[in-house]
Amino acid sequence: MLKSKNLVFLGPPGAGKGTLSEVLLRDEKLAHISTGDILRAEIAQGTELGKSAKALMDQGKLVPDQIVADMVAARLTQKDCDEGFILDGFPRTVAQAKLLEEAAAKTGRTIDKVVLFDAPRDLLIQRLTARLTCRQCKASFNKLFAKPAKDGICDHCGGELFQRSDDSLETAQNRLKVYDEQTAPLIEFYTQNGLLATIDSSLPKDQGYAALLAVLNA
Ligand code: AMP
């Protein structure tokens, strides 16, 4: 049983938030709330929201705060969040962090810890542009560091692996710029309220996971 179970995973794209979420979820019964996954599901379903989000996502820009905050607020009312949750990729702006506080208060939930995933920029670019994602279970692989056993096939569920359209070099660079401008101010925000813990996410997966467990049980 983790000491901290209502979690925010904060960090630039490619830092391993999704990868370590996946590992943690094998050991702990937490709800996984990835705003990127929710938006990609909207795109796949061809909804109006999906259509407007796709244009922004393909340029590496953020979807408007209120839209993502409403999605998360609705998700936090669900029963499976009672046992804890990982907010993966949300909040991404200070305005979203404030909307999260409101939504959490309404459902009687509090954030226990914000984990900052820290990794050097060149590694992030390498990881993003070589990333492969499973269409079915969303697991991540990497053409350089974490190849699947069979080309193009997910080791976990047999689903098809694909390259996300926003993992091209140009969009990856834009996403990192957007992170610096709009998301990095959250580091100060969560340091001020004492919730922030940082892990070195340039480490290999097993060592990164050990570092994550250490901060969640501190
Ligand atoms: P991710 O899967 O977390 O890398 O997110 C992919 C893309 O979805 C981002 O580049 C944004 O365009 C959009 N997105 C995901 N989460 C958010 C968020 N919290 N706020 C705004 N846009 C988001």
Side-chain angles (χ1 to χ4, degrees):
M1 186 67 184
L2 296 171
K3 270 197 185 167
S4 300
K5 60 185 188 68
N6 292 349
L7 312 172
V8 168
F9 283 4
L10 174 68
K17 305 182 296 294
T19 302
L20 286 191
S21 293
E22 212 183 285
V23 184
L24 183 60
L25 292 169
R26 282 183 212 150
D27 292 340
E28 301 290 335
K29 203 164 173 274
L30 304 172
H32 183 221
I33 308 173
S34 156
T35 40
D37 282 350
I38 300 173
L39 291 166
R40 281 183 289 278
E42 294 279 344
I43 294 174
Q45 286 159 29
T47 64
E48 284 309 310
L49 168 58
K51 281 178 202 155
S52 54
K54 184 171 174 19
L56 294 165
M57 288 165 76
D58 279 346
Q59 296 171 69
K61 293 186 181 159
L62 296 185
V63 172
D65 290 333
Q66 195 68 51
I67 291 179
V68 277
D70 286 349
M71 287 176 351
V72 171
R75 186 67 185 81
L76 284 177
T77 63
Q78 291 176 12
K79 190 92 187 101
D80 64 336
C81 296
D82 289 355
E83 299 193 48
F85 52 82
I86 306 171
L87 285 168
D88 170 358
F90 179 91
R92 262 176 154 100
T93 64
V94 172
Q96 288 180 21
K98 291 183 178 158
L99 291 167
L100 170 60
E101 280 175 353
E102 285 171 23
K106 275 189 199 147
T107 48
R109 306 191 195 280
T110 46
I111 303 299
D112 300 328
K113 189 136 292 177
V114 176
V115 182
L116 173 65
F117 287 60
D118 191 31
R121 207 37 61 108
D122 52 348
L123 179 64
L124 297 174
I125 290 281
Q126 261 185 341
R127 280 185 182 164
L128 287 169
T129 53
R131 173 157 73 180
L132 295 168
T133 305
C134 174
R135 223 176 265 290
Q136 217 159 282
C137 76
K138 319 290 178 231
S140 284
F141 295 84
N142 187 289
K143 288 183 218 164
L144 303 173
F145 313 114
K147 288 187 189 170
K150 266 197 215 157
D151 271 359
I153 307 287
C154 175
D155 290 357
H156 308 302
C157 73
E160 181 203 352
L161 299 180
F162 74 107
Q163 181 173 33
R164 277 171 46 176
S165 56
D166 59 349
D167 280 343
S168 66
L169 178 61
E170 195 192 348
T171 309
Q173 281 167 333
N174 272 342
R175 289 160 68 204
L176 289 169
K177 188 163 167 268
V178 166
Y179 173 81
D180 289 338
E181 290 169 0
Q182 300 190 51
T183 308
L186 284 173
I187 298 171
E188 179 60 21
F189 181 88
Y190 284 121
T191 303
Q192 291 284 335
N193 67 15
L195 290 179
L196 197 83
T198 303
I199 63 166
D200 176 359
S201 63
S202 63
L203 294 170
K205 189 153 89 174
D206 50 343
Q207 290 174 42
Y209 185 49
L212 176 65
L213 289 182
V215 301
L216 298 185
N217 285 315

